[in-house]
């Protein structure tokens, strides 16, 4: 892993899904708007390079463990939710979707007391 890290490097890609969810790299920080009432600032550790293109965050580095740890910390800021799929997920991660509430037939179950 060390030899591969030095020769090729490691890379993880994260996708941001959601209306108004965006990210931008400024210096050694990633500024994320994730639907909270405030923007989230994530500081990038030494040895890691991060870039943002549209809705994809790319985390690169020499150490496999550090690249995985940083991407897991970024994903943990807003993990994908199962109903609409909004949040931060890995590029090839499959989100199991749930159906949500079912609409009852009109007239059925409308009885009162």
């Amino acid at each position: 892993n060390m030899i591969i890290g030095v020769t090729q490097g490691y890379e993880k890609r994260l996708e941001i899904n959601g209306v108004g969810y965006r990210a931008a790299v400024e210096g050694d920080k990633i500024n994320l708007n994730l639907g909270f009432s405030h923007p989230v600032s994530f500081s990038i550790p030494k040895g890691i390079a991060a870039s943002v293109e549209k809705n994809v965050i790319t985390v690169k580095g020499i150490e496999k463990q550090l690249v995985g740890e940083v991407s897991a910390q970024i994903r943990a800021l807003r993990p994908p939710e199962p109903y609409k799929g909004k949040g931060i997920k890995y590029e090839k991660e499959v989100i199991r979707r749930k159906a949500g509430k079912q609409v009852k037939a009109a007239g059925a179950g409308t009885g009162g007391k």
Side-chain angles (χ1 to χ4, degrees):
N1 285 338
M2 291 175 153
I3 294 169
I4 293 171
V6 172
T7 56
Q8 299 170 0
Y10 288 101
E11 173 179 296
K12 290 247 184 196
R13 296 167 64 86
L14 299 143
E15 289 181 5
I16 302 174
N17 295 324
V19 177
Y21 288 18
R22 59 182 57 96
V25 176
E26 293 180 11
D28 63 341
K29 292 185 185 260
I30 300 177
N31 292 328
L32 300 145
N33 292 331
L34 299 173
F36 297 120
S37 61
H38 59 283
V40 178
S41 181
F42 182 83
S43 60
I44 303 167
K46 290 192 182 236
I48 295 293
S51 62
V52 177
E53 297 171 12
K54 294 187 182 178
N55 64 340
V56 177
I57 302 172
T58 306
V59 180
K60 295 180 183 178
I62 293 175
E63 290 184 53
K64 184 175 189 176
Q65 190 273 332
L66 189 58
V67 170
E69 183 68 27
V70 169
S71 6
Q73 289 173 354
I74 293 172
R75 182 184 182 276
L77 295 172
R78 184 67 117 173
E81 51 103 6
Y83 297 101
K84 293 186 177 179
K86 292 170 30 174
I88 301 174
K89 69 179 188 83
Y90 294 112
E91 188 175 49
K92 296 187 178 169
E93 181 180 8
V94 177
I95 306 301
R96 293 186 63 201
R97 302 295 288 272
K98 292 186 177 179
K101 292 184 178 179
Q102 296 294 324
V103 178
K104 302 252 182 186
T110 57
K113 289 184 178 179

